[in-house]
Amino acid sequence: MTTFEWSMLVLALGVMTGGRAMAEPLTETLIAFDAPGPDWSFNTGSKTGSQSKISYETCPWGRAVRFDVVVTDRWEAFKTRTAAAVRNPQQSTLVFRVKASAELQAIKVKLGEKDGTWWEANAMVSEAWSMVAFSPADFALVHDPESHRRDSTVCLADACEIQFEGALATSEHYTVWIAEVQTTTAPPETFPERSPVVEHDLYHPPGMSSWDYWFAEKDGVYHAFHLQAPAYLGNERHGNQHVGHAISRDLVHWTNLGPALVPLND
């Protein structure tokens, strides 16, 4: 929602409440899409380099970034630095516009901090433009190198990087459009048109750092196998990992079955 739209909403609510003063939400741009646009970098699992493309298009809200994604090995994500001016802890809601080609059903958003801490949230997407609104509670801690953030929640003012990655893709080729990435003091429920938020992760084992996923399907049941290690290990997770296992019938709701393979000395 643009600043003008918020102004009209506040004016209407003021009339409905008998003219009592109401504070207008404070909104800041997290990524500026004005020409030439931010510097994006590829975070790819491909050993031969990324084949994906980044471009810009006009949209109803000015400009949108377009990701034409080619997943050649494991994952393909795009990240950029956030606007340095966004440092207000009261702006606790992350909002942005998104649409995707038919091959993609959900999008994964990660926020990175200076110390290497990463948070993750997921939302459903469609071929029509929709709005995503994340609260701090929607983000799960997925990497804690200092092992000191396990009982905390994300603060958008601490985010210095943001990353977008497709989730639930039915093809190695898909397209995502992102526009109007902002932080605001308005709570997510004030955006009635927002896309459904998928509970924390698609899929993330509780209390674990996880990476390198492999999938299989048998008799209508999807199996996810992945490397995992306790999140508190931080950068020491490599060399202390084992193979986790989860199942799902819809690729959205997962049941954790625990370790599938563990080292012999365990």
Side-chain angles (χ1 to χ4, degrees):
M1 184 175 290
T2 64
T3 302
F4 174 77
E5 290 172 328
W6 268 119
S7 300
M8 294 301 98
L9 176 59
V10 170
L11 178 61
L13 290 175
V15 172
M16 293 170 60
T17 58
R20 295 191 300 273
M22 299 185 66
E24 181 177 351
L26 178 62
T27 301
E28 298 283 353
T29 297
L30 194 64
I31 303 177
F33 289 132
D34 297 338
D39 292 326
W40 293 92
S41 60
F42 296 98
N43 183 357
T44 178
S46 173
K47 297 180 176 62
T48 58
S50 177
Q51 300 180 27
S52 301
K53 303 295 182 183
I54 300 174
S55 59
Y56 286 91
E57 296 182 358
T58 58
C59 70
W61 307 278
R63 293 218 311 169
V65 63
R66 170 174 172 162
F67 303 129
D68 290 294
V69 179
V70 181
V71 182
T72 57
D73 187 8
R74 295 184 292 176
W75 77 86
E76 193 79 7
F78 304 84
K79 65 180 180 179
T80 188
R81 298 193 65 82
T82 59
V86 181
R87 291 295 180 264
N88 186 344
Q90 294 181 337
Q91 294 170 292
S92 59
T93 302
L94 172 65
V95 294
F96 61 92
R97 311 257 183 189
V98 61
K99 72 173 182 177
S101 57
E103 298 84 8
L104 189 67
Q105 301 177 48
I107 191 167
K108 179 186 300 182
V109 180
K110 288 187 175 181
L111 297 176
E113 300 179 10
K114 289 183 178 179
D115 66 355
T117 299
W118 282 91
W119 305 84
E120 179 181 298
N122 303 273
M124 305 305 291
V125 296
S126 68
E127 294 180 81
W129 280 107
S130 60
M131 175 170 282
V132 173
F134 288 134
S135 72
D138 295 322
F139 284 89
L141 179 63
V142 293
H143 185 49
D144 180 16
E146 301 297 330
S147 304
H148 68 290
R149 303 293 296 275
R150 280 174 286 170
D151 298 322
S152 62
T153 56
V154 68
C155 176
L156 298 186
D158 294 333
C160 61
E161 290 185 289
I162 186 168
Q163 176 175 290
F164 298 94
E165 181 182 352
L168 297 182
T170 58
S171 170
E172 294 84 4
H173 301 257
Y174 59 84
T175 303
V176 182
W177 293 262
I178 303 287
E180 265 202 332
V181 184
Q182 301 174 326
T183 59
T184 180
T185 55
E189 56 267 22
T190 60
F191 300 91
E193 75 276 27
R194 69 187 188 278
S195 296
V197 173
V198 180
E199 282 296 325
H200 286 306
D201 298 290
L202 300 169
Y203 148 79
H204 188 85
M208 294 285 181
S209 294
S210 62
W211 65 101
D212 290 357
Y213 279 72
W214 300 269
F215 294 89
E217 184 272 335
K218 182 179 181 181
D219 300 329
V221 177
Y222 297 94
H223 296 257
F225 298 92
H226 53 85
L227 298 181
Q228 65 179 29
Y232 65 81
L233 291 176
N235 289 330
E236 300 299 320
R237 70 186 188 279
H238 297 292
N240 294 286
Q241 71 270 26
H242 54 271
V243 177
H245 182 202
I247 58 173
S248 172
R249 289 189 175 275
D250 58 7
L251 293 175
V252 175
H253 304 92
W254 291 88
T255 300
N256 181 12
L257 298 184
L261 292 172
V262 298
L264 291 177
N265 57 5
D266 281 7

